[in-house]
């Protein structure tokens, strides 16, 4: 057995000193200024026209979808929604820098990444209206999407739990020898959960090819970052766990794309995790259940509107000669119509069958569960007047 | 099966044998937890496996139960078949959400798309003088929740068969081995009847099929895990006094073989349920409720529960022996239902 010396890297000192936060400066990668001009052309990533346009279109589509679905919730058509307005570049540009074989384990505000992968308007709607065509069969609250064919893990409500799971999925990818990794999204608030610390440490120690992508959007519902942590953001924690780390302007498509490309390259080449902290701002409310005017100022929000990622990227596209105002307007009009039509269609589709509740609890339903269903159905059949919207939906 | 070799193994050795065979035959199977690679696991569950399979497949993890259960869940979703060695069942408190909200629910919440074929190994129960945070059975805390199979074998033959079945199952399976029956040194000598002659070949046992450990006509005693041996001791003593006791070991809490239990009570008309977990809201109530729902008029006397009182298990050895569902308490309960 080899001798170990866990003090080999420790330098002795003969003066009493306290090491403080801030001694290591963690800069923020920014490749596009607020006017959409490249700040360092040498570092700008290569993005072809088609990819650039797909990123722009996805960001705009998601902004529209968010706007419409918040509206639908306000009208009482769905129970809950959660917008990502202001953070579109973080999720869409990072997803664009990945391979479609890479697994996405998200928190709940990454509809941009899912849309980039190809989730359709109809799929979004059926899930949110939890109807018969809902891929989750009415089992999950709105926005808890999941799609195995798109390598997008089904979203779970408890915060931060995807972080150790992402390390494990990446471990499985490594063991199978596939040249693919896992990206794990979460907010700076979720990074206070024990799962963050456990998961990032596990991934580092066990050499898992995973990108931990933190959207530092300034708020966890109403809690600002100053009340969430004292350290230098989330990036400093990555370094503390021995994880290569990049801090990036989360409203800058080029910077997010370049950082994620680099992270992917390093994680796969060295079988290690990489942490990205994307500095952004949640222009939206946390969800349809809160009103930001109670906890932050309008002038603060205004400052971030000026950094809008969609506008900034459009300016860059314009500079490249890839921005067509007419075509963009037409696309927005078409998307708006598509979303409205999909809402109307999805809400007319009947709810899923109650019979489905015993499926997938286990690989095959055990008899006691089937018996419980029979009893439940007998009751519903006897008293349909108490279940007017669902009593007809019994197989 | 070849039973001629007379290999009598402890439960820990028998379970380990199944793990080894499965790891040799399926590259996706791997084990992880604290102190498994070099140390072989605190309960000896990975003894010597590190040398055979290497550090990538007998994976030592940092100390974070929620971290490595989360990691195993992710690996299972990715197509691996992880076996998590969590050591003490008492520690589920620090990772309960990872178990019941995530690993147990992904399959359902993803409409069956993301399976979690994972085995979670827990050492349960007390009787070896280790206090209220190292001695709990706690199987009801897991059996109560949907989405996982919960098994609690009482002997080495079942341990091996269930371990094979658990690893091959596409479900998330919690495998609970009672420490006093494990045969691991610091828990004391194993209860002799928990050791079994073990065939060389791999074999599986179906979940949800109870074993009638002893046939009888006067009283049905349903017991699980370590309590099976206590029930048998009581039954053997009472046999001498002319009371015929049927002892049933359901072996798996989820699924529970209610039918075998109900059939037995139809025959005897009397029921005692013995379990090392806390009394209220537990296995004992579930068994009694299941029989009453199905056969309300079959009872000649009120059924009796023998379980841990709803208080923290004492460290003191003599005091601990008084709260456990020992053969003395089970014997008294049998005599009481016979009145």
């Amino acid at each position: 057995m080899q001798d170990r010396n866990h003090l080999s890297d420790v330098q002795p000192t003969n003066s009493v000193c306290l090491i403080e936060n801030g001694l290591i400066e963690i800069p923020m990668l920014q490749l596009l200024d607020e006017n959409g001009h490249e700040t360092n052309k040498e570092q700008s990533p290569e993005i072809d026209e088609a990819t650039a346009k797909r990123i722009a279109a996805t960001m705009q589509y998601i902004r529209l979808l968010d706007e419409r679905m918040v509206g639908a919730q306000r009208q009482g058509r769905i129970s809950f929604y959660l917008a990502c307005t202001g953070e579109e570049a973080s999720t869409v540009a990072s997803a664009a820098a990945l391979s479609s074989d890479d697994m996405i384990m998200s928190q709940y505000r990454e509809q941009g990444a899912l849309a980039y992968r190809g989730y359709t308007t109809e799929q979004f709607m059926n899930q949110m209206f939890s109807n018969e065509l809902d891929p989750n069969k009415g089992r999950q609250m709105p926005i808890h999407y999941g799609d195995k064919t798109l390598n997008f893990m089904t979203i779970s409500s408890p915060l931060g739990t995807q972080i150790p799971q992402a390390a494990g999925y990446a471990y499985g990818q490594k063991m199978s020898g596939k040249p693919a990794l896992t990206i794990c999204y979460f907010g700076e608030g979720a990074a206070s959960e024990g799962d963050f610390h456990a998961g990032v440490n596990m991934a580092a120690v066990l050499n898992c090819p995973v990108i931990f992508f933190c959207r530092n959007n300034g708020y966890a519902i109403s809690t600002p970052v100053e009340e969430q942590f004292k350290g230098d953001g989330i990036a400093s924690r990555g370094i503390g766990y021995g994880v290569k780390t990049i801090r990036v302007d989360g409203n800058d498509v080029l910077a997010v794309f370049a950082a994620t490309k680099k992270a992917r390259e390093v994680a796969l080449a060295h079988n290690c995790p990489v942490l990205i902290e994307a500095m952004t701002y949640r222009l939206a409310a946390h969800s349809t259940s809160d009103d930001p005017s109670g906890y932050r100022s309008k002038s603060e929000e205004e400052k971030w509107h000026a950094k809008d990622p969609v506008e900034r990227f459009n300016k860059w596209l314009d500079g490249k000669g890839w921005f067509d105002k007419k075509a963009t307007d037409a696309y927005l009009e078409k998307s708006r119509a598509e979303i409205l039509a999909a809402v109307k269609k999805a809400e007319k589709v009947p709810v899923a069958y109650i019979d489905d509740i015993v499926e997938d609890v286990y690989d095959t339903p055990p008899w006691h569960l089937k018996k419980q269903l029979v009893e439940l159905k007998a009751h519903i059949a006897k008293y349909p007047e108490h279940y007017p919207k669902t009593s007809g939906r019994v197989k | 099966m070849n039973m001629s070799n007379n290999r009598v193994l402890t439960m820990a050795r028998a379970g380990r044998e199944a793990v080894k065979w499965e790891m040799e035959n399926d590259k996706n199977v791997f084990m992880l937890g604290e102190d498994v690679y070099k140390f072989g696991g605190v309960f000896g569950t990975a003894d010597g496996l590190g040398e055979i399979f290497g550090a990538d497949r007998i994976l030592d993890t940092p100390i974070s139960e929620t971290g490595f259960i989360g990691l195993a869940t992710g690996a299972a979703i990715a197509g691996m078949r992880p076996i998590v060695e969590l050591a003490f069942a008492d520690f589920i408190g620090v990772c309960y959400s990872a178990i019941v909200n995530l690993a147990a629910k992904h399959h359902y919440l993803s409409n069956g798309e993301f399976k979690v074929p994972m085995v979670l190994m827990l050492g349960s129960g007390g009787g070896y003088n280790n206090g209220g945070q190292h001695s709990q059975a706690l199987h009801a805390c897991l059996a109560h929740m949907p989405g996982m199979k919960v098994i609690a074998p009482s002997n080495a033959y079942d341990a091996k068969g269930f371990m094979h079945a658990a690893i091959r199952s596409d479900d998330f399976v919690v495998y609970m081995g009672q420490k006093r029956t494990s045969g691991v040194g610091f828990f004391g000598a194993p209860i002799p009847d928990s050791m079994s002659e073990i065939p060389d070949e791999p074999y599986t046992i179906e979940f949800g099929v109870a074993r009638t450990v002893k046939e009888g006509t006067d009283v049905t005693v349903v017991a699980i895990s370590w309590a099976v041996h206590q029930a048998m001791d009581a039954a053997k003593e009472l046999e001498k006094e002319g009371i015929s006791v049927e002892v049933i070991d359901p072996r798996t809490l989820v699924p529970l073989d209610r039918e075998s239990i109900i059939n037995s009570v139809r025959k005897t008309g009397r029921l005692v349920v013995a379990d090392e977990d806390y009394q209220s809201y537990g296995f004992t109530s579930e068994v009694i409720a299941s029989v009453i729902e199905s056969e309300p008029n079959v009872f000649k006397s009120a059924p009796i529960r023998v379980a841990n009182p709803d208080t923290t298990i004492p460290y003191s050895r003599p005091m601990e022996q008084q709260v456990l569902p020992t053969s003395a308490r089970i014997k008294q309960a049998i005599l009481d239902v016979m009145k």
Side-chain angles (χ1 to χ4, degrees), chain B residues 1 9 11 15 33 48 144-145 155 195 201 206 223 237 303 316 335:
Chain B
M1 279 185 201
L9 297 186
M11 284 183 67
H144 179 65
M145 304 298 283
N155 62 77
M195 295 167 67
E201 300 84 3
E206 193 184 339
E237 281 184 39
S316 155
L335 291 171

Side-chain angles (χ1 to χ4, degrees), chain B residues 35-94:
Chain B
D35 304 304
V36 288
Y37 174 58
K38 288 183 289 292
F39 190 62
V42 287
F43 297 165
T45 44
D47 194 21
L49 298 183
E51 266 177 35
I52 301 169
F53 298 108
D56 282 348
R57 294 185 67 200
I58 301 290
L59 191 62
D60 272 342
T61 66
I63 304 175
S64 171
E65 288 76 6
T66 187
F68 61 75
I69 289 175
L71 185 128
T73 304
I77 293 164
M80 307 284 286
R81 291 188 172 269
I83 304 164
V84 184
E85 165 56 273
L86 180 62
F88 293 86
D90 306 75
F91 301 166
I92 61 168
V94 293

Side-chain angles (χ1 to χ4, degrees), chain A residues 361-363, chain B residues 69 73 76 82 84 96 98-107 115-121 142 146-150 166 169-175 207 254:
Chain A
V361 181
Y362 302 93
D363 196 44
Chain B
I69 289 175
T73 304
V84 184
Y96 196 60
I99 298 169
V100 306
N101 277 327
L102 286 306
K105 289 195 172 76
H106 277 318
H107 187 247
K115 292 180 192 296
V116 185
M118 169 168 111
V119 181
L120 175 63
M121 289 179 72
L142 299 164
M148 50 193 149
K149 303 262 171 83
V150 181
S169 169
D170 278 342
D171 279 317
F172 171 27
V173 180
V174 182
Y175 177 102
F207 299 149
V254 181

Side-chain angles (χ1 to χ4, degrees), chain A residues 29 31 45 55 89-99 102-104 113 117 181-185 210-214 245-250 252-268 274-278:
Chain A
L29 177 69
L31 296 173
I55 291 172
S90 296
T91 52
V92 176
S94 55
L98 300 173
S99 151
D102 294 336
M103 184 64 168
I104 296 176
R117 281 275 165 99
L181 50 63
T182 302
I183 190 164
C184 176
Y185 293 100
V210 52
I211 300 172
F212 293 116
F213 193 104
C214 177
T245 297
I246 314 176
R247 175 175 282 156
V248 62
D249 182 342
D252 172 349
V253 167
L254 292 195
V256 171
F257 189 86
T260 312
K261 274 265 182 227
K262 182 75 180 171
R264 185 172 195 277
E265 189 187 302
V266 169
L268 281 178
V274 177
L275 188 144
I276 297 174
E277 182 182 24

Side-chain angles (χ1 to χ4, degrees), chain B:
Chain B
M1 279 185 201
N2 175 20
M3 296 286 276
S4 61
N5 57 4
N6 293 320
R7 289 191 315 134
V8 175
L9 297 186
T10 61
M11 284 183 67
R13 301 300 294 177
R16 177 195 166 281
E17 188 165 291
V19 170
K20 179 169 173 279
W21 193 94
E22 294 296 334
M23 286 190 69
E24 283 166 347
N25 287 278
D26 182 350
K27 65 178 175 36
N28 291 320
V29 180
F30 76 112
M31 185 186 262
L32 71 164
E34 289 157 22
D35 304 304
V36 288
Y37 174 58
K38 288 183 289 292
F39 190 62
V42 287
F43 297 165
T45 44
D47 194 21
L49 298 183
E51 266 177 35
I52 301 169
F53 298 108
D56 282 348
R57 294 185 67 200
I58 301 290
L59 191 62
D60 272 342
T61 66
I63 304 175
S64 171
E65 288 76 6
T66 187
F68 61 75
I69 289 175
L71 185 128
T73 304
I77 293 164
M80 307 284 286
R81 291 188 172 269
I83 304 164
V84 184
E85 165 56 273
L86 180 62
F88 293 86
D90 306 75
F91 301 166
I92 61 168
V94 293
C95 48
Y96 196 60
S97 184
I99 298 169
V100 306
N101 277 327
L102 286 306
K105 289 195 172 76
H106 277 318
H107 187 247
Y108 179 79
L109 292 178
S110 69
N111 191 21
E113 281 202 336
F114 296 106
K115 292 180 192 296
V116 185
M118 169 168 111
V119 181
L120 175 63
M121 289 179 72
L122 300 174
S124 75
Y128 64 102
N129 196 207
N130 225 341
Q133 292 162 327
H134 284 94
S135 302
Q136 299 170 95
L138 298 185
H139 35 240
C141 291
L142 299 164
H144 179 65
M145 304 298 283
M148 50 193 149
K149 303 262 171 83
V150 181
I151 65 184
S154 63
N155 62 77
Y157 183 86
D158 287 357
K160 177 172 167 171
F162 277 126
M163 183 59 87
H164 277 295
I167 297 169
R168 293 177 197 181
S169 169
D170 278 342
D171 279 317
F172 171 27
V173 180
V174 182
Y175 177 102
M176 308 195 73
Q178 212 279 356
K179 284 164 273 174
R180 284 281 290 106
T181 61
S182 68
V184 174
F186 71 96
F187 301 121
I191 290 162
D193 285 347
S194 72
M195 295 167 67
S196 327
E197 198 170 319
I198 300 294
D200 290 337
E201 300 84 3
Y203 57 93
T204 60
I205 301 174
E206 193 184 339
F207 299 149
V209 179
R211 183 170 76 102
T212 302
V213 189
K214 178 185 169 303
E215 289 191 359
T217 51
D218 294 328
V219 184
T220 299
V221 178
V222 179
I224 196 149
S225 191
W226 172 83
V228 170
H229 305 290
Q230 300 302 312
M232 280 301 291
D233 287 349
K236 282 177 201 159
E237 281 184 39
L238 287 170
E239 201 74 33
K240 293 175 204 153
E241 297 173 31
I243 299 172
S244 172
V245 181
E246 179 144 299
V247 177
I248 293 184
D249 175 5
R251 308 193 283 187
T252 63
L253 288 104
V254 181
L256 178 64
D257 184 357
R258 291 172 172 85
E259 200 181 333
S260 294
I261 296 168
I262 292 163
N263 282 339
S264 175
V265 182
R266 277 191 193 119
K267 181 171 71 177
T268 62
R270 299 182 185 91
L271 176 62
V272 170
V273 191
D275 177 34
E276 202 190 336
D277 207 347
Y278 300 118
Q279 177 165 312
S280 298
Y281 306 98
F283 170 76
T284 51
S285 353
E286 183 58 37
V287 168
I288 293 170
S290 298
V291 180
I292 290 177
E293 279 173 347
S294 174
E295 291 286 346
N297 302 317
V298 79
F299 291 98
K300 295 172 186 159
S301 60
I304 295 182
R305 303 188 257 181
V306 183
N308 243 299
D310 299 329
T311 180
T312 300
I313 298 159
Y315 168 74
S316 155
R317 188 179 287 270
M319 286 166 69
E320 183 187 19
Q321 290 303 317
Q322 288 167 336
V323 301
L324 290 169
T326 52
S327 59
R329 287 178 62 203
I330 297 168
K331 186 179 167 187
Q332 186 212 315
I334 294 169
L335 291 171
D336 286 349
V337 289
M338 287 298 293
K339 276 181 194 163

Side-chain angles (χ1 to χ4, degrees), chain A residues 303-318:
Chain A
K303 284 178 196 152
W304 281 91
H305 276 291
K307 297 177 198 284
D308 189 292
V310 178
E311 287 303 304
R312 203 195 294 191
F313 192 55
N314 280 347
K315 285 176 190 165
W316 178 80
L317 285 175
D318 200 23

